[in-house]
Amino acid sequence: VEVMNPDGSFDADDEIQRHINMATKISRNNVNSWNNVSNPEAAGREKVIKTQLHSEIRAELCRLQGVHQSLYSEIDPLHMPEVLSLIGRHHDQGELYLALKSSIMTICSTVNMKKCIQQQRAHHAAIVAKHAAIVAEHAAIVAEHRTKIEELDAKLASMDEAVEVNEGSYELEHRSNKRRRKWWWGLWGGA
């Protein structure tokens, strides 16, 4: 039976007992109902998620045990992404923010910045190469069609010249036919 102190808090023993009861309840809930076999991995995972990955509960447990150091400094930096993912899935955004804030230096220490920049550079170089190839292909198509346009312009120009020459020769021919007719009619005495 928990007895509340006059200031509204519980005795340390009562608080510890409350956490023990919660852990035992989690263990009892992780038993398969169809074969009555416990699942210790699932129970352990749920206990860590509900206690160690929740900042307020973790702070309370640390205070009760007299521990005053960050949990995140104890976690292997290579496992931090999975830990943060668990926090993000099972707790609110505030918890995720606190976890990130507490572990950001650990996460940054595992990042190889030179390799990261090299990967970004390679990514952008690949995009440039892809689009440069497209531009080169389009430039070849444009050049081919410009050549066709120039050929067609030359044909049109020669056709225009031929029409002008033909119109001029038609006029000459028409005049000379008129003269011939006059002459011919003159011979016959008609005109």
Side-chain angles (χ1 to χ4, degrees):
V1 176
E2 296 178 350
V3 178
M4 192 178 286
N5 293 330
D7 64 353
S9 65
F10 292 104
D11 284 25
D13 290 339
D14 291 335
E15 288 184 52
I16 291 171
Q17 187 60 50
R18 189 167 46 91
H19 287 288
I20 292 171
N21 292 343
M22 181 191 71
T24 349
K25 182 179 176 189
I26 290 172
S27 294
R28 265 190 258 121
N29 289 342
N30 280 287
V31 172
N32 289 334
S33 59
W34 59 277
N35 65 2
N36 209 20
V37 175
S38 69
N39 186 346
E41 291 85 17
R45 185 180 187 92
E46 187 176 344
K47 289 174 193 174
V48 167
I49 289 169
K50 287 192 174 180
T51 59
Q52 296 303 311
L53 299 183
H54 191 279
S55 62
E56 291 174 11
I57 295 173
R58 186 179 59 256
E60 184 180 327
L61 287 170
C62 287
R63 184 183 49 77
L64 288 171
Q65 296 171 18
V67 177
H68 302 289
Q69 65 183 26
S70 171
L71 162 78
Y72 299 108
S73 64
E74 308 265 329
I75 297 174
D76 183 342
L78 298 176
H79 297 297
M80 281 308 294
E82 187 176 347
V83 170
L84 293 171
S85 173
L86 283 170
I87 293 170
R89 282 185 295 204
H90 296 282
H91 298 294
D92 62 4
Q93 251 185 337
E95 285 299 319
L96 181 60
Y97 172 75
L98 289 172
L100 280 168
K101 187 174 147 188
S102 300
S103 62
I104 194 70
M105 291 310 294
T106 305
I107 293 170
C108 287
S109 71
T110 62
V111 175
N112 181 341
M113 286 304 286
K114 185 175 182 179
K115 183 74 170 176
C116 184
I117 291 169
Q118 288 171 340
Q119 287 175 341
Q120 287 179 342
R121 184 191 179 288
H123 169 74
H124 291 289
I127 290 173
V128 166
K130 174 185 168 188
H131 290 285
I134 292 170
V135 167
E137 182 182 335
H138 287 179
I141 292 170
V142 167
E144 178 185 339
H145 288 282
R146 277 196 179 132
T147 303
K148 291 280 186 191
I149 289 170
E150 289 170 2
E151 289 172 5
L152 295 172
D153 284 344
K155 283 183 181 180
L156 286 173
S158 69
M159 291 173 89
D160 287 344
E161 283 177 18
V163 167
E164 287 176 14
V165 168
N166 285 340
E167 283 177 357
S169 68
Y170 174 76
E171 267 184 43
L172 286 175
E173 192 177 306
H174 184 66
R175 273 191 235 148
S176 74
N177 282 344
K178 209 174 184 183
R179 280 187 208 143
R180 271 190 230 130
R181 268 186 273 146
K182 264 187 173 177
W183 177 79
W184 185 254
W185 281 107
L187 285 176
W188 288 93

